[in-house]
Amino acid sequence: MTARAVAEGVLDPELPVLTLAELGVLREVIESDDRVVVTITPTYSGCPAIEEMRRDLRTALTEAGYRDVEVRTVLAPAWTTDWISESGRRKLLEHGIAPPARVGPRPAGPVPLNLVPPPARVPCPRCGSAETTELSRFSATACKALRRCESCREPFEHVKEL
Amino acid sequence: MSFDNAYEAINDGAGEDAHWAFGTGFDDPLAGVDRALPAGVPVAELTAYCLMLGDDALVLSQRLAEWCSRAPELEEDVALANIALDLLGQARLLLSRAGEVEGAGRDEDTLAYLRDEHEFRNVRLVEIDCGPGPGGDFASTIARLLVFSSWRLAVFSRLVESADPVLSAVAAKGVKELAYHRDHAAQWTLRLAGGTEYSRERMVAGLARVWPLVGELFDPHPVELALPGVAVDPSLLRPEVDQVLDTVFGAAGLHRPEIAPLSPVAGRTGRDGAHTEALGYLLAEMQYLARSLPGASW
């Protein structure tokens, strides 16, 4: 197995339905002789999972026979939820987590203020209803918001747009 | 993977890299980041500037974390803890950069745990005790978060263009986080001001409580002025921040407080290491364990 294939198969510690590649945090895998340099990027500045990711990558590559493994961090370009791949979005949905909408590049000028939660169109991942309400912008991990479906009444998590 | 005890689980994978028990030593947040210093930038001032922005985030993070399990509702425990975590992440990157630019062998943990009060360069706004303990309350915590995140978002929006590659990258990440923090505080301000008569009184009092410390955010410091193209001159941000705050106040039916700024102490403010008495108590709690067991590792 190539080092890239091994690294791409490592799962995200906080959303273990996705691989790091699908989450979009795996930036580069460079293999030369016995040496592998993997580059990843954090999601949020304070995301505590990054150390787990580094360790999981080292472990997976070491177990695959690579003896000299280095995991580097890059900050730029900053990760956004647009880096989550199509297959990543599909897997989130299959596991009851609403994927983020695509946001595109940040427009120039001051960031607009939102005095009410924006009318996000986040369909329920269970029943597909568009009638859902944000319960809290912040949830069990930095990257998720908590919502409730007004049709099936189930609460669900939403990977909020960043 | 199974472990016989929790200690073994925590220790797993540490191998030869024993961790400082109370620090972050397991991970260099700037590992692999382009650390080149831009040509001609004064080292002492860049170090100080990274400490200023890093200490603001570290101290407010500690204050917000104090609310965890004490907030008005469970969702708010989680929200304030999440905001604190974002700020802690920004602090780690900025303190690491400060230590690296300084070149005296101090890392983020040394800077966070082993500096004394007069060496902290945060603005006084972030250190005052707005609760949840005696004398504090949730409304003043929200008022502070509204002002601080509006200001910091304006700083970071410009810092994205900084000639220092690390400051630029930290700012680019931080902008989106801070926009969430500001929205959260703005929405609570509306909710409290538009709630009951009592909640409105509390919101008005909360704003009055923090307002004397707002001016300091916009006073340009010699460190900022010595770093053109690298640092942001905060005096240029006032119109933009005022506009944001006035929008919130307008929607909430509140007036911008007219309260004189807290005086500097012999010409010195938080940016120079002159703090209110609140910071000493905060640091005592934050630093106690790390200092009582220096160098302890697991």
Side-chain angles (χ1 to χ4, degrees):
Chain A
M1 233 170 148
T2 64
R4 170 170 291 276
V6 174
E8 283 180 347
V10 174
L11 297 175
D12 175 64
E14 284 190 350
L15 293 168
V17 300
L18 298 194
T19 64
L20 296 182
E22 287 168 328
L23 184 63
V25 300
L26 187 68
R27 287 279 164 89
E28 201 172 59
V29 183
I30 296 175
E31 186 179 348
S32 56
D33 304 324
D34 227 11
R35 179 172 166 74
V36 182
V37 179
V38 182
T39 306
I40 56 174
T41 192
T43 53
Y44 283 70
S45 300
C47 183
I50 189 122
E51 171 58 16
E52 292 301 315
M53 293 179 188
R54 295 163 68 91
R55 185 189 296 174
D56 291 348
L57 281 163
R58 272 195 298 270
T59 305
L61 285 160
T62 307
E63 282 172 2
Y66 296 93
R67 268 187 282 178
D68 186 1
V69 178
E70 186 188 348
V71 183
R72 292 184 184 164
T73 314
V74 290
L75 297 176
W79 180 87
T80 73
T81 41
D82 283 357
W83 289 76
I84 300 177
S85 72
E86 279 311 319
S87 63
R89 284 159 199 271
R90 201 174 53 243
K91 285 189 192 173
L92 283 172
L93 196 57
E94 283 165 7
H95 286 82
I97 301 170
R102 299 243 176 222
V103 286
R106 189 173 81 82
V111 182
L113 175 72
N114 296 303
L115 289 177
V116 289
R121 286 169 198 84
V122 184
C124 173
R126 295 173 200 278
C127 74
S129 165
E131 299 297 313
T132 68
T133 312
E134 183 177 277
L135 298 179
S136 173
R137 188 75 67 87
F138 299 91
S139 180
T141 63
C143 57
K144 285 181 288 188
L146 196 61
R147 300 185 72 88
R148 178 178 57 215
C149 175
E150 301 301 347
S151 299
C152 71
R153 306 298 291 169
E154 287 290 332
F156 64 91
E157 288 188 308
H158 168 222
V159 176
K160 66 190 175 210
E161 291 76 22
L162 186 76
Chain B
M1 219 175 289
S2 66
F3 300 97
D4 291 338
N5 59 52
Y7 179 80
E8 197 183 320
I10 291 167
N11 201 30
D12 175 59
E16 296 152 13
D17 324 315
H19 301 164
W20 184 22
F22 307 106
T24 57
F26 45 85
D27 183 26
D28 172 3
L30 291 175
V33 172
D34 174 12
R35 298 153 180 245
L37 271 182
V41 172
V43 164
E45 280 78 4
L46 182 56
T47 304
Y49 189 57
C50 293
L51 286 177
M52 284 158 58
L53 294 178
D55 287 345
D56 285 349
L58 177 65
V59 172
L60 187 57
S61 172
Q62 179 78 8
R63 280 289 181 226
L64 290 169
E66 290 170 353
W67 280 96
C68 194
S69 80
R70 309 282 296 276
E73 56 191 31
L74 177 63
E75 286 79 2
E76 199 53 28
D77 284 339
V78 176
L80 294 181
N82 264 297
I83 293 171
L85 182 62
D86 287 343
L87 290 174
L88 188 64
Q90 294 175 12
R92 290 192 57 194
L93 296 164
L94 290 162
L95 294 186
S96 296
R97 181 59 170 169
E100 172 178 274
V101 171
E102 180 187 52
R106 295 199 287 181
D107 64 8
E108 49 172 326
D109 288 327
T110 312
L111 289 168
Y113 289 120
L114 302 181
R115 274 182 304 154
D116 288 331
E117 192 181 336
H118 67 276
E119 296 167 282
F120 274 75
R121 285 180 164 270
N122 56 280
V123 288
R124 291 177 292 178
L125 175 69
V126 295
E127 73 202 26
I128 56 167
D129 186 356
C130 293
D137 78 329
F138 182 68
S140 49
T141 288
I142 290 299
R144 168 166 62 190
L145 185 62
L146 175 67
V147 172
F148 179 76
S149 53
S150 298
W151 172 83
R152 192 168 171 95
L153 179 56
V155 174
F156 272 37
S157 300
R158 287 163 183 75
L159 205 57
V160 171
E161 309 294 332
S162 173
D164 181 62
V166 177
L167 284 177
S168 164
V170 170
K173 280 209 83 57
V175 161
K176 295 186 169 202
E177 296 164 356
L178 293 163
Y180 273 122
H181 305 172
R182 187 187 64 177
D183 285 355
H184 186 72
Q187 290 166 21
W188 261 113
T189 302
L190 262 60
R191 192 167 158 189
L192 293 172
T196 62
E197 200 175 313
Y198 180 58
S199 73
R200 183 180 181 80
E201 263 172 40
R202 292 273 294 266
M203 191 65 234
V204 170
L207 274 171
R209 170 96 197 278
V210 303
W211 207 259
L213 294 161
V214 171
E216 191 177 324
L217 292 169
F218 300 97
D219 291 338
H221 190 274
V223 161
E224 288 157 331
L225 300 177
L227 294 167
V230 174
V232 174
D233 175 354
S235 63
L236 306 175
L237 308 176
R238 186 100 211 203
E240 180 185 324
V241 175
D242 276 347
Q243 197 187 359
V244 168
L245 295 178
D246 286 345
T247 305
V248 178
F249 296 156
L254 297 169
H255 299 290
R256 197 197 306 183
E258 289 182 20
I259 301 172
L262 186 69
S263 309
V265 181
R268 298 163 73 240
T269 65
R271 291 282 187 239
D272 310 295
H275 294 282
T276 66
E277 71 169 339
L279 184 64
Y281 290 102
L282 180 146
L283 294 181
E285 179 163 327
M286 189 178 87
Q287 297 180 333
Y288 166 74
L289 268 179
R291 289 195 183 220
S292 62
L293 297 163
S297 63
W298 62 16

